[in-house]
Each structure stands twice: as C-alpha cells, then as structure tokens.
Amino acid sequence: MTDNTVNNFRIGVDVGGTKIEAALVDATGAVLNSARIPARHGNAAVVEDIVSVARQAAGTRFDEVSAIGIGTPGTVDSATGHVGNIVNLDVVSLDMGPEVSRLAGVPVHVENDVNAAAVGAAVLLGGADGLDGTIAFLNFGTGLAAGIVQNGVLLHGYSGAAGEIGHIPVEPHRLKCPCGQYGCLETVCSGAAVGRLWPNADPPMPDLIRCASRREAKAVDVLDMVVRAIGDTIQILAQSVDPRLIVLGGGMAKTGEPLVEVITAELRRRESQCRFLESLDLPARLRLAPAGQPVGAIGAAMAA
C-alpha cells in the first residue's frame, strides 16, 4: 500500500546578529529537535548557514520536511522572500527565500523576525491554531517593534510596516534616531537604548530597576524616562489594535517579573487619572514571552 500521508514537519529558522537557530516542529508547533550555530557575515554565508542549521535540526527527517520558515531582521518582503539591510550580518540585498529554497530543495517563506516571534508566542500560548482575537508581540531588542497576529493571521499592512511602533516620534527628550527622526520611542525604551542610558551593567534593565528601588537618584530618573516611554508604546499599541494580549519579548523582557511590575505601576498611574484607560485594564493583558522556548523559530515554522 502506498503511504499518501502529507508531511507535517516544518523547520523554523531564527536569524540573529550573532547566532542562527533552527527548530524542527510538527503540525501543532511542538519542537522535535533544534540546533544553533554562530552567524557569519555576507550573503553567501548567511544562506549556507541557514541551510546548514536547518539540516542539523531536521537530522534524518529532512526528507519529510514540507517547508522552511525564516524569521530575520532587516526589511522583509514576505511575498517574494527578499530581505534588505541586515546590518549586523553585512547583508544589503538578498533574495533569501529563493536562494535558501534552491539549496534546500523545499519551499521557503521569510518573515520579519518580530512577526515570526508574534506567531510563535500566539502558538505557545494558544496551541497550533493560536489564540482567538488579536495578539501583539512587543519586542524590546536592538530596536522596538510589534508583531500583530489576528486570529492566527499576521498583519503586514500595505507596505509591511504594520507594528513599526518604535519609530513614532513622540518621546519628549527628542533624541536622534538612526532612522533620521527625533524623539522616536525606540531611542529611549528599546533594549539598545536602555544600554546607552544605563551603561553601568550588562544586562542593564535588571540593574537599573534594582538601583531605582534603592532610590538612587540617577537610576530613578532613567527608569522613569524608560518606563514612561514603554507606557506610551503600550498605550499607542492598545488603542490602535486593541489586542487581547500584549506579549513582552526581546532581550529586555528577560528581566522577567520586575519589568512587568514597573510597567504595571506606570499603567496603573495613568489609570488613576483616566477612567477610559482604567476601563481598558491594560496591565491584565500583559504577558512575558514564554521562557526557554525558541519562540522566533517556532513562529517562523508555523508561518511557512
């Protein structure tokens, strides 16, 4: 008898500035195996490394893989698989999807890394079909951006800029942003920005919160600046797309519950002055990204 079973295995690849991680997942998003390698620079090296780590993750099951999904920084055209300006990997322009598909011999889908993480968070919190309603993944990494999933479907917007909340120029200190504007939210409350504002420790956010809790004047000032910008970010996101959950991710979110606590305090402060905000109950919508899981790789696989 011929086995006509459809292959349900997918590989998700999470491209980072220093590492590339891959996960073999089943139809439910459960991770069956994973692999990680250091990232190399340049177009050819990036493509070769994606295929290599994908094969490592799949092992003997590579022939059973139906698709590869990739989550990557840079400017991503998810329709064509083209990626531009992966600054940390010296990639200016790369047909990532077609090139990886050519070498791997399977269909490839490419997403922005934050969008992929949003899908991964929705799957991990709600199963293979994700969660009903709108889920926002707010990524505090080198930059600041949100991925938005609505009933399991990623929202890209007309030009793919949906969720680029970090470049809304409303932060009152008017710091210069690499994008060319002044006062972008990510100039104050991205992970990289907190590192610049509080260069005394690595990682900076847990130390900043500890020092502020001891009422050290400089730490209190910096934390107030950062948390007010986070509050603005969450409020803009909530009032724009009204998500069921706002999942906090990225390197800064590894601070864990202390970060949630200072954000909650800021949101409650705002609620105390505004019945409208009180009715939204934003603190109740906050979640930390699931720890110990390759969220980006899972999401890339499930989006493929």
Side-chain angles (χ1 to χ4, degrees):
M1 180 180 291
T2 302
D3 184 0
N4 292 317
T5 302
V6 176
N7 294 341
N8 286 321
F9 298 131
R10 301 179 193 177
I11 299 171
V13 181
D14 185 16
V15 177
T18 59
K19 65 174 176 61
I20 300 178
E21 183 174 33
L24 177 70
V25 307
D26 65 15
T28 70
V31 176
L32 307 176
N33 194 34
S34 62
R36 178 186 295 186
I37 61 175
R40 297 183 296 156
H41 291 208
N43 286 18
V46 169
V47 170
E48 290 168 7
D49 288 347
I50 290 171
V51 176
S52 174
V53 76
R55 288 188 175 277
Q56 288 180 40
T60 58
R61 288 173 158 170
F62 190 81
D63 289 342
E64 302 174 64
V65 169
S66 61
I68 295 174
I70 303 170
T72 178
T75 305
V76 177
D77 185 333
S78 60
T80 66
H82 182 270
V83 181
N85 302 312
I86 310 178
V87 177
N88 291 333
L89 297 180
D90 296 328
V91 171
V92 176
S93 178
L94 172 62
D95 286 326
M96 181 180 285
E99 288 297 309
V100 171
S101 182
R102 180 179 60 82
L103 284 184
V106 295
V108 173
H109 179 76
V110 185
E111 283 289 349
N112 169 271
D113 54 351
V114 178
N115 284 344
V119 174
V123 168
L124 287 168
L125 293 170
D129 295 329
L131 294 171
D132 292 336
T134 302
I135 311 300
F137 182 90
L138 189 53
N139 189 72
F140 296 98
T142 302
L144 173 68
I148 302 165
V149 180
Q150 190 170 61
N151 295 323
V153 179
L154 268 171
L155 301 185
H156 294 99
Y158 172 71
S159 63
E164 289 291 350
I165 198 167
H167 293 297
I168 297 177
V170 296
E171 209 290 315
H173 293 86
R174 310 303 294 169
L175 300 176
K176 179 71 179 289
C177 182
C179 80
Q181 299 184 100
Y182 291 84
C184 290
L185 287 166
E186 78 168 41
T187 63
V188 170
C189 67
S190 65
V194 175
R196 290 190 296 270
L197 293 168
W198 191 255
N200 308 338
D202 185 22
M205 194 64 181
D207 186 70
L208 176 59
I209 293 172
R210 282 193 298 269
C211 292
S213 70
R214 296 195 294 261
R215 308 307 300 170
E216 296 179 18
K218 177 63 174 175
V220 170
D221 289 344
V222 172
L223 184 62
D224 181 69
M225 178 179 178
V226 170
V227 173
R228 284 177 183 269
I230 293 175
D232 288 343
T233 301
I234 289 173
Q235 193 173 330
I236 291 168
L237 182 61
Q239 291 175 230
S240 299
V241 297
D242 196 21
R244 172 182 172 183
L245 293 179
I246 299 172
V247 182
L248 309 178
M252 199 163 77
K254 294 178 181 177
T255 304
E257 287 301 329
L259 177 65
V260 177
E261 289 170 5
V262 296
I263 294 173
T264 296
E266 170 63 16
L267 295 176
R268 293 297 187 207
R269 182 191 67 78
R270 296 179 184 216
E271 287 180 357
S272 70
Q273 302 167 358
C274 176
R275 288 185 178 178
F276 167 68
L277 288 178
E278 184 180 19
S279 72
L280 298 180
D281 195 11
L282 298 182
R285 308 190 198 189
L286 300 180
R287 299 288 188 278
L288 287 168
Q293 293 273 10
V295 178
I298 292 171
M302 299 305 286

